[in-house]
Amino acid sequence: MTYLSILVETRGRVGLVALNRPRALNALNYALMDELMRALAIFDADDAIGAIVITGSDQAFAAGADIKEMANKSAADMTQNDPISIYGQIRSIRKPVIAAVSGWALGGGCELALSCDMIVASETAQFGLPETTIGVIPGAGGTQRLIRAVGKATAMEMILNDRKINAQTALHSRLVNRVVPVDAYLNEALQLAEQIAARAPLAILAAKRAINHSYESFLGAGLEEERRIFYDLFNTEDQKEGMRAFIEKRKPAWTGR
């Protein structure tokens, strides 16, 4: 299959997907997310693949969602088209998915990493959820998954006050599994995936399913509420101003309307 926004390859029993929009720092538009989910589904259905790695570039795992794609949408547009639902498809992948993160993992990029089962980070990784700076909230799981990873206090500061955390803080906060130098993070993630892929396939699938059953017991309802609030904010003047200001590279003038 030919892809435009991702690169796909097989390393033994590991499927590797690299986000590939370098000029946009791998900003996640719908076309990229659609290709990513199709590639994950193909690897998931392949008995020769035991685990999957998602990565970006050394500079950016993904710098966020593509704001230009949604800036002028209304709440009705967002609700009807439901672009966030594609992020949820990663929950249906049965095999372990590891994010190999270097550089920026912001907004939707951070949420994509949080959606994976494990994260291997380079020393330059920076995680953040800056959506409130453009008049919305994280809409693809950020308000729900981050609190489970780092706790309420840190999640509040990251989401309400645009706090970004570096790789070592992410490690201490239990957001990531390990931190390694930039020249080693992808190989480290691939090695972890290879080790998992070498184990009993049915046991690995069952173990992931059991862990996620516990983790997601109350997650589904929270994700639905988060998505509803995210879409509703597209009826506000602040959302339009925030996203226009982001695109125009200026400070937004909030009105609270």
Side-chain angles (χ1 to χ4, degrees):
M1 182 175 291
T2 301
Y3 299 103
L4 298 177
S5 301
I6 61 173
L7 302 173
V8 176
E9 62 180 292
T10 300
R11 304 276 188 97
R13 283 184 49 77
V14 176
L16 175 61
V17 184
L19 312 181
N20 188 38
R21 295 187 70 206
R23 293 184 179 179
L25 294 178
N26 293 329
L28 303 174
N29 61 9
Y30 186 85
L32 184 152
M33 290 300 298
D34 180 61
E35 290 187 353
L36 172 61
M37 294 308 166
R38 282 192 283 137
L40 293 179
I42 290 170
F43 280 139
D44 202 36
D46 187 348
D47 290 339
I49 298 297
I52 305 166
V53 172
I54 302 173
T55 194
S57 67
D58 291 350
Q59 183 181 7
F61 176 72
D66 193 327
I67 304 304
K68 292 180 181 179
E69 195 173 62
M70 67 178 74
N72 296 318
K73 302 292 186 183
S74 68
D77 294 331
M78 297 296 286
T79 302
Q80 182 175 357
N81 296 326
D82 197 13
I84 296 299
S85 62
I86 195 167
Y87 285 79
Q89 293 178 22
I90 198 168
R91 295 172 69 200
S92 68
I93 302 300
R94 300 169 304 134
K95 295 171 183 175
V97 181
I98 300 168
V101 177
S102 186
W104 298 112
L106 303 179
C110 183
E111 291 176 301
L112 176 59
L114 286 168
S115 297
C116 296
D117 300 308
M118 288 163 275
I119 302 175
V120 173
S122 86
E123 293 172 334
T124 67
Q126 295 275 340
F127 298 87
L129 291 169
E131 283 85 350
T132 58
T133 68
I134 56 171
V136 292
I137 67 168
T143 67
Q144 304 302 300
R145 292 190 175 95
L146 186 65
I147 191 172
R148 288 163 167 78
V150 303
K152 178 183 175 182
T154 301
M156 281 285 191
E157 190 174 2
M158 289 179 68
I159 295 171
L160 273 59
N161 201 38
D162 190 23
R163 177 188 174 188
K164 296 175 179 64
I165 62 173
N166 62 26
Q168 286 300 328
T169 301
L171 181 64
H172 295 151
S173 300
R174 299 184 295 180
L175 178 63
V176 306
N177 293 75
R178 59 197 69 173
V179 175
V180 294
V182 176
D183 60 2
Y185 77 98
L186 180 54
N187 284 336
E188 184 78 10
L190 289 167
Q191 184 178 23
L192 176 59
E194 288 167 1
Q195 291 169 350
I196 294 169
R199 303 187 186 280
L202 294 181
I204 292 297
L205 299 183
K208 173 175 171 172
R209 187 169 68 248
I211 293 168
N212 279 340
H213 177 75
S214 173
Y215 176 77
E216 298 186 352
S217 292
F218 301 100
L219 182 61
L223 291 172
E224 288 297 323
E225 177 69 0
E226 177 195 71
R227 188 187 307 178
R228 183 190 66 77
I229 295 170
F230 177 77
Y231 289 162
D232 283 349
L233 285 167
F234 280 76
N235 271 342
T236 66
E237 294 178 14
D238 278 352
Q239 173 269 323
K240 297 295 182 290
E241 168 62 11
M243 292 192 175
R244 279 197 298 264
F246 176 86
I247 293 168
E248 295 168 5
K249 296 180 172 56
R250 60 175 174 82
K251 186 176 180 179
W254 305 118
T255 62
R257 297 194 295 270

